Amino acid sequence: MSWIDKLERRFGRYAVNNLMLYLIICYAVGYLIYITNPNFYYNWLCLNASAILHGQIWRIVTYLVAPPSYNLIWLVLLSVIYYSLGRSLEQLWGTFRFNLYIIIGVLANVLAALIIYLVWGQIYILDAGNLYMTMLLAFAATMPDMQFYLYFVIPIKAKWLGIFYAAYIALELFTSNWPGRVSIVLSLLNFLLFFFESRKPVDSMYQARRRRDYTKKMRAGTGRPGAPRHRCAVCGRTEQDDPNLEFRFCSKCAGNYEYCQDHLYTHVHVTQDSRNG
């Protein structure tokens, strides 16, 4: 059982459903603050390590109200994109895991600001921009073949957006100073923890091979005409019951067991002993 599974068993009941909606509302609040009193955010709400260490601990959370753009049209478009990414990840991972991903990202930004201030004496004003970009990395790693429409016109797969952003991060690491590198690395902490802990390379290769074998059998006509291609081993639902359901193989189960998005992380793993029993 991974550390994420242990945390979910203990604190899963406290997870906030549809967390992205509340984050988008924060954007709206931040935009209203900007058009009414532009200096208020920087004076009282932004992620200022010096102010936090002097008692203004609310800044650990309030920096999230900074909108990704102060142009209203771009703000609406980016809010729609971020909301779609967040909801997709929540539906795929489950509410607790998505909550945990966001919380780690929020606290990692705070940690970066504190380290930069204590080590270099610089007040590094960080917003949540990198946090939301790590959602794109997570989505690209989880569903690489999902297609986006860049500028709502150009079709592009999620994996290429993820690769482009990863290349941009590498360039920023190369050209930035040390405080900048610290902020970049820690902004990726949630992504690194999730995908190096719960998606080990061996498991991923094994899962990919099983998926290819399963697809090959279906294309060879082993299934009945009109029969569903995916079926959850827990609830029995197929893509014919709900075309929006996502299905994945579990890398920890012994055998080709496929699960829907609601049971991928909550099912009891099938072991070789249980199969023989």
Side-chain angles (χ1 to χ4, degrees), residues 84-93 135-148 156-163 191 195 199 207 211 243-248 261 264-265:
S84 177
L85 283 174
R87 285 297 291 165
S88 296
L89 289 174
E90 182 177 348
Q91 291 170 3
L92 183 62
W93 293 347
M135 291 197 318
L136 174 60
L137 283 178
F139 189 88
T142 306
M143 304 182 68
D145 294 322
M146 181 65 72
Q147 188 166 270
F148 285 92
I156 184 171
K157 289 187 176 181
K159 62 182 177 182
W160 297 117
L161 288 176
I163 290 172
F191 178 79
F195 287 91
R199 294 178 177 272
Q207 186 173 352
R211 188 183 300 113
N244 295 319
L245 277 178
E246 295 285 344
F247 293 86
R248 292 288 185 274
Q261 61 199 36
L264 179 60
Y265 295 107

Side-chain angles (χ1 to χ4, degrees), residues 18 104 114 157 178 200 265:
N18 202 7
I104 293 174
L114 291 172
K157 289 187 176 181
W178 280 106
K200 296 178 175 60
Y265 295 107

Side-chain angles (χ1 to χ4, degrees), residues 8-80:
E8 185 171 9
R9 286 195 173 188
R10 185 169 183 179
F11 302 108
R13 61 183 179 275
Y14 301 114
V16 178
N17 186 45
N18 202 7
L19 179 61
M20 276 308 301
L21 176 61
Y22 298 101
L23 295 175
I24 298 302
I25 291 174
C26 287
Y27 281 169
V29 172
Y31 183 77
L32 290 176
I33 291 173
Y34 168 75
I35 62 177
T36 55
N37 188 352
N39 294 323
F40 185 81
Y41 173 78
Y42 293 100
N43 291 336
W44 295 102
L45 304 178
C46 71
L47 184 54
N48 184 318
S50 175
I52 291 174
L53 293 175
H54 284 84
Q56 298 182 14
I57 59 174
W58 61 82
R59 292 174 182 264
I60 293 174
V61 176
T62 56
Y63 81 92
L64 295 173
V65 304
S69 173
Y70 291 106
N71 179 290
L72 183 58
I73 295 177
W74 276 108
L75 173 58
V76 172
L77 292 177
L78 289 173
S79 296
V80 171

